[in-house]
Structure formats: C-alpha cells, structure tokens
C-alpha cells in the first residue's frame, strides 16, 4: 500500500531568529487563518519548494501545541478503505516543528529539532512520540492533503 521510504526530512529549514519570530506568532493566536500564520504558510511553502525544487499544494492546515494526544497512537491521516480498486494517491502530510519532538514513521524514529520539516505519505502508519521528557511545548503546524502532482489530487 505505502512505502515508508516515501518521505522528505528537511533539517534546519529555518534560522534560530525565524523560529523565535514564529514562536511569538503562536503565543498571540493559534488560529491558522491569522495574518501571522498566513505569513508563516507562505514562507514555509517557499522554503520547501526551493529545497525540493518542486511546487505543491495543500488543502488545509492545523496548529497544535501538545493538545492532540491521539497523535501519539499509530494512525494514518488518510484511511485506505476510502479508495477503490487499490488506487492510492500520492498524498502527503507536511509537519513543521517549532520545538524538539520525536516522530515514528513505520520502523523509523526521527529526533526532530526546531525548524525541521517532515513530509510523509499520509497513508503511512505514524505517531508522535512522548515528549514529556523534552519540555511541555510541542508546537507544530500540519498541512494535510499535500500534493506534488495535481493529477494525483483528482483521484480523491
């Protein structure tokens, strides 16, 4: 169904100063449609496209700060039984981290640093690791339904 090697791990995408500015944005308001977050979306999208050398779109976003404990259980962001004839689109989840974190993708463990971005196939089993020993914050911006190929988008 999905290949656990189907991911991009972009380290140190943001400078320390940019991360601090983005953290301030999350202290003021966590609604992803505020101007601060819209600026973050644009900057993040630009940096990812430059790093990967390809354009993409995403459908919706969510910001959280360690307030989605269900993310610590293995899950998929897209449920495969919605698709017929085993036609699974190449659809991704993009996660931008403002704090240290742990992430499990299949049998891989990622020790995430602030400013890192992880893009993985949404059909892959994954989970956030317990960060209680790191610190209380686990601020992340998630983009769901990320597509690098617009033809894939037409499948769903």
């Amino acid at each position: 169904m999905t290949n656990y090697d189907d991911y991009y791990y972009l380290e140190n995408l943001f400078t320390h100063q940019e991360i601090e500015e983005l953290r301030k944005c999350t202290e003021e308001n966590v609604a992803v449609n505020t101007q601060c977050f819209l600026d973050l979306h644009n900057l993040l999208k630009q940096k990812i496209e430059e790093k990967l050398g390809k354009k993409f779109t995403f459908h919706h976003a969510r910001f959280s700060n360690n307030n989605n404990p269900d993310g610590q259980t293995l899950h998929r962001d897209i449920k495969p039984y919605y698709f017929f004839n085993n036609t699974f689109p190449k659809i991704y989840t993009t996660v931008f981290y403002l704090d240290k974190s742990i992430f499990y993708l299949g049998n891989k463990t990622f020790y995430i640093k602030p400013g890192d971005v992880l893009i993985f196939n949404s059909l892959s089993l994954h989970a956030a690791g317990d960060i209680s020993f790191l610190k209380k914050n686990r601020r992340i911006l998630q983009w769901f339904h990320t597509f690098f190929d617009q033809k894939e988008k037409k499948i769903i």
Side-chain angles (χ1 to χ4, degrees):
M1 177 181 4
T2 186
N3 179 351
Y4 289 105
D5 292 327
D6 193 10
Y7 70 89
Y8 303 93
Y9 181 37
L10 309 175
E11 296 183 80
N12 305 313
L13 203 58
F14 285 80
T15 66
H16 179 72
Q17 181 180 351
E18 288 171 325
I19 293 167
E20 287 304 314
E21 289 173 19
L22 297 170
R23 285 176 176 161
K24 286 179 190 172
C25 173
T26 67
E27 291 169 4
E28 296 169 13
N29 192 335
V30 296
V32 293
N33 60 349
T34 63
Q35 189 60 51
C36 190
F37 270 101
L38 294 175
D39 292 343
L40 168 58
H41 293 311
N42 293 334
L43 179 62
L44 182 56
K45 189 171 187 304
Q46 174 189 349
K47 285 187 175 245
I48 292 171
E49 287 179 344
E50 287 175 5
K51 186 82 168 178
L52 296 179
K54 55 175 112 179
K55 300 227 178 253
F56 67 94
T57 61
F58 66 93
H59 185 264
H60 68 279
R62 175 178 76 183
F63 174 78
S64 63
N65 186 6
N66 214 16
N67 60 343
N68 54 346
D70 58 326
Q72 292 185 2
T73 60
L74 283 172
H75 66 280
R76 292 181 169 96
D77 291 338
I78 299 290
K79 309 306 183 245
Y81 52 81
Y82 289 136
F83 301 99
F84 304 102
N85 300 325
N86 289 329
T87 304
F88 300 108
K90 288 207 171 261
I91 183 170
Y92 296 85
T93 299
T94 303
V95 186
F96 167 64
Y97 294 84
L98 288 169
D99 299 291
K100 287 182 182 179
S101 191
I102 298 171
F103 185 82
Y104 303 106
L105 179 64
N107 63 354
K108 294 178 175 60
T109 302
F110 295 88
Y111 295 93
I112 311 287
K113 300 177 300 305
D116 290 356
V117 174
L118 188 59
I119 304 169
F120 57 92
N121 189 304
S122 300
L123 292 162
S124 298
L125 281 171
H126 61 279
D130 178 14
I131 62 142
S132 59
F133 69 94
L134 294 172
K135 59 196 242 177
K136 68 176 183 159
N137 286 322
R138 181 182 170 269
R139 291 169 285 194
I140 59 172
L141 177 65
Q142 296 169 285
W143 289 343
F144 299 98
H145 301 111
T146 301
F147 291 94
F148 292 102
D149 182 346
Q150 293 307 301
K151 293 176 201 165
E152 296 284 334
K153 191 174 183 178
K154 293 178 182 178
I155 294 174
I156 63 168

